[in-house]
């Protein structure tokens, strides 16, 4: 069976150029980049090159990039590191209700430790309301953390406007750009961003590596203690092959960003149009234009998204219901709830995430299979057509 992968928001395959740059670092260039001898220096040269490439891609200095085990660690570090280092100034953090669990769970932990967190509502598209953000900033506020783009519904926030507010109010601004890197142009200097998290495996790099950008001069505590790696701020022997691959992946993903985004979004738009034309009661979540080019979060009336996912899987098609981090749990998606989607449509939602190698033939095949599956499931649906979208809170 020819398999079709439409779950690129969850993870992506390694690009062949990325892999070939990584390979020598598993075997011949095996030194510890922190060792002072030639073996160490050879490995360090690979790490330095990756740091340069990433700094160049996001518009910062190489010494403002700190490697981590992924965006989860980078998000944990940004929040806790800033909270602890600035607790003498204030104990209030502002975030949104639709952040990734690595932000929300860290915030919950900080609340247990005596910090106060405001979780901003979002509108029906998933945008943070700027007037609400302004309203909640107080003299106690030390950090605003708002994701650049949402992993479930694809909405891209007005990051520049949020950053401007943070600057005006003298509050630090962190953004989780994990889904946005390679899809949205991000220049941390131009946009005056203080901290930014991102990850390698969403952009055809290896898993288990990411980074936190920390603007020079921003006071941040470490949360991982040990050796003096990463300027003494993040202990642990560097994962050299992964870092080398990450650097190459960032370079490739940001180099052709406009052309790739155009290509992927036009296929994604075709996919949405085809679904809307061929299947009744199909609704797009998030904003129709200000969204990630590869994301189509679709609610199907009168069907269960998980059943669609399993039936597509039997056809070799990979999609996801909520995000990979929360699917597997039977809880409805908090992101879809936050945008006010009625409960039956929350249950009927599937996230399709394309890549630049997705083809029109694949999309046509997926649409054909979806037509059959949705028709079949609707025949046995306990929800009637008249009830679709009207039973909020009942499920
Ligand atoms: N933030 C967002 C928005 C994500 O989509 C993800 C990955 N699902 C993460 C953080 C966590 O990234 P990682 O897998 O590198 O820990």
């Amino acid at each position: 069976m020819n398999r079709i992968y439409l779950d690129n928001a969850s993870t992506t395959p390694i690009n062949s150029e990325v892999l070939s740059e990584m390979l020598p670092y598993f075997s011949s260039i095996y030194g510890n980049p922190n060792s002072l001898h030639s073996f160490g220096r050879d490995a360090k040269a690979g790490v330095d090159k990756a740091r340069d490439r990433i700094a160049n891609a996001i518009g910062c200095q190489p010494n403002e990039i700190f490697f981590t085990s992924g965006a989860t660690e980078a998000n944990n570090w940004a929040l806790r590191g800033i909270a602890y280092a600035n607790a003498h100034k204030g104990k209030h953090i502002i975030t949104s209700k639709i952040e990734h669990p690595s932000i929300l769970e860290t915030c919950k932990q900080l609340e247990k430790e005596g910090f106060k967190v405001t979780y901003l509502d979002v509108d029906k598209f998933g945008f943070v309301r700027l007037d609400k953000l302004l309203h909640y900033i107080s003299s106690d506020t030390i950090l605003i953390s708002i994701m650049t783009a949402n992993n479930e519904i694809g909405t891209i926030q007005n990051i520049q406007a949020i950053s401007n507010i943070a600057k005006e109010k003298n509050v630090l601004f962190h953004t989780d750009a994990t889904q946005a890197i390679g899809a949205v142009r991000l220049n941390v200097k131009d946009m005056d961003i203080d901290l930014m998290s991102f990850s390698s495996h969403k952009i055809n790099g290896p898993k288990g590596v990411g980074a936190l950008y920390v603007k020079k001069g921003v006071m941040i505590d470490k949360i991982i203690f040990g050796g003096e790696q990463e300027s003494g701020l993040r202990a642990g022997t560097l994962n050299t092959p992964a870092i080398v691959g990450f650097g190459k992946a960032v370079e490739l993903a940001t180099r052709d960003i406009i052309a790739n985004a155009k290509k992927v979004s036009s296929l994604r738009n075709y996919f949405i149009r085809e679904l809307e034309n061929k299947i009744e009661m199909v609704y797009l979540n998030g904003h129709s234009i200000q969204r990630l080019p590869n994301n189509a979060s679709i609610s199907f009336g009168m069907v269960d998204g998980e059943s669609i996912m399993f039936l597509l899987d039997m056809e070799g098609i990979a999609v996801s219901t909520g995000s990979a981090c929360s699917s597997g749990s039977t809880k409805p998606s908090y992101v879809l709830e936050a945008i006010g989607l009625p409960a039956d449509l929350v249950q009927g939602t599937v996230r399709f995430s394309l890549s630049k190698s997705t083809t029109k033939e694949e999309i046509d095949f997926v649409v054909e299979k979806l037509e059959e599956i949705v028709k079949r499931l609707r025949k046995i649906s306990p929800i009637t057509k008249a009830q679709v979208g009207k039973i909020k809170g009942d499920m």
Side-chain angles (χ1 to χ4, degrees):
M1 188 187 343
N2 246 349
R3 295 195 300 166
I4 299 176
Y5 188 70
L6 294 184
D7 198 15
N8 289 281
S10 173
T11 196
T12 58
I14 294 202
N15 173 292
S16 57
E17 281 182 66
V18 169
L19 181 62
S20 63
E21 287 216 15
M22 289 171 70
L23 286 175
Y25 292 88
F26 286 106
S27 48
S28 50
I29 316 175
Y30 55 82
N32 184 327
N34 284 78
S35 299
L36 298 177
H37 45 61
S38 68
F39 291 79
R41 286 197 302 275
D42 290 349
K44 186 171 180 297
V47 171
D48 287 347
K49 188 168 177 187
R51 213 187 292 280
D52 286 347
R53 280 171 161 168
I54 295 171
N56 191 36
I58 66 163
C60 70
Q61 294 302 314
N63 63 5
E64 294 173 308
I65 296 291
F66 297 86
F67 290 113
T68 64
S69 61
T72 295
E73 184 191 325
N75 283 340
N76 271 258
W77 184 16
L79 295 179
R80 300 178 74 184
I82 292 298
Y84 303 148
N86 293 277
H88 61 285
K89 291 191 201 151
K91 294 198 127 191
H92 180 225
I93 294 166
I94 302 180
T95 188
S96 85
K97 285 191 176 160
I98 63 165
E99 299 296 312
H100 188 264
S102 53
I103 292 287
L104 295 177
E105 293 301 312
T106 306
C107 284
K108 275 195 214 157
Q109 181 57 32
L110 284 169
E111 283 182 292
K112 284 187 199 150
E113 295 171 26
F115 290 88
K116 193 172 165 287
V117 182
T118 299
Y119 302 88
L120 294 173
D121 286 325
V122 292
D123 68 14
K124 64 178 178 177
F125 300 115
F127 290 121
V128 162
R129 292 247 318 261
L130 301 181
D131 56 338
K132 293 275 184 218
L133 171 63
L134 269 167
H135 172 80
Y136 284 107
I137 297 174
S138 73
S139 56
D140 200 37
T141 311
I142 48 173
L143 178 67
I144 297 168
S145 178
I146 303 290
M147 71 202 317
T148 312
N150 184 269
N151 44 307
E152 288 191 42
I153 57 171
T155 299
I156 300 169
Q157 298 292 339
N158 296 308
I159 289 300
Q160 184 65 68
I162 297 171
S163 175
N164 292 348
I165 290 173
K167 286 292 103 66
E168 193 186 303
K169 297 286 178 185
N170 207 15
V171 176
L172 291 170
F173 175 48
H174 164 252
T175 189
D176 172 3
T178 308
Q179 294 286 340
I181 190 109
V184 178
R185 258 204 191 293
L186 289 168
N187 184 303
V188 290
K189 283 285 173 294
D190 291 351
M191 299 172 85
D192 217 341
I193 293 168
D194 297 303
L195 302 113
M196 187 166 91
S197 308
F198 45 109
S199 188
S200 152
H201 72 106
K202 310 284 185 183
I203 50 165
N204 306 102
K207 294 169 183 46
V209 64
L212 181 66
Y213 150 77
V214 185
K215 186 166 139 187
K216 198 170 183 328
V218 167
M219 299 299 289
I220 186 164
D221 277 11
K222 52 183 150 185
I223 60 163
I224 294 188
F225 297 86
E228 283 301 306
Q229 293 89 352
E230 297 298 85
S231 314
L233 282 176
R234 198 279 187 177
T237 302
L238 294 177
N239 184 351
T240 315
I243 288 169
V244 167
F246 180 26
K248 184 66 183 170
V250 170
E251 183 187 76
L252 293 175
T254 51
R255 195 181 58 192
D256 305 323
I257 198 164
I258 304 286
N260 287 341
K262 225 171 154 182
K263 179 170 181 255
V264 179
S265 64
S266 78
L267 191 56
R268 187 270 321 271
N269 293 345
Y270 167 75
F271 175 55
I272 296 169
R273 275 199 310 276
E274 283 288 284
L275 289 180
E276 286 171 345
N277 289 338
K278 296 194 164 151
I279 307 176
E280 257 191 297
M281 290 178 282
V282 160
Y283 312 99
L284 175 71
N285 298 308
H287 194 265
S288 59
I289 296 162
Q290 203 168 315
R291 67 184 299 121
L292 290 173
N294 72 338
N295 172 294
S297 166
I298 305 281
S299 299
F300 296 87
M302 284 178 70
V303 275
D304 174 49
E306 219 151 81
S307 307
I308 296 182
M309 189 195 79
F310 287 125
L311 292 173
L312 283 176
D313 187 36
M314 287 170 71
E315 302 286 346
I317 301 163
V319 298
S320 115
T321 51
S323 61
C325 319
S326 43
S327 55
S329 80
T330 48
K331 276 202 229 143
S333 152
Y334 60 85
V335 174
L336 298 174
E337 286 184 335
I339 59 170
L341 202 66
D344 63 313
L345 293 180
V346 169
Q347 290 304 131
T349 300
V350 178
R351 180 187 69 184
F352 303 88
S353 43
L354 285 64
S355 79
K356 58 178 186 285
S357 36
T358 307
T359 64
K360 180 171 175 295
E361 290 66 39
E362 288 179 325
I363 290 298
D364 287 336
F365 182 74
V366 173
V367 172
E368 189 189 313
K369 289 295 156 197
L370 275 168
E371 272 186 274
E372 288 168 22
I373 289 169
V374 170
K375 198 183 272 174
R376 198 157 17 124
L377 290 172
R378 279 183 180 160
K379 278 200 185 129
I380 53 163
S381 171
I383 306 169
T384 66
K385 212 166 165 177
Q387 283 175 312
V388 170
K390 298 200 179 78
I391 51 172
K392 192 169 183 176
D394 282 4
M395 291 181 82

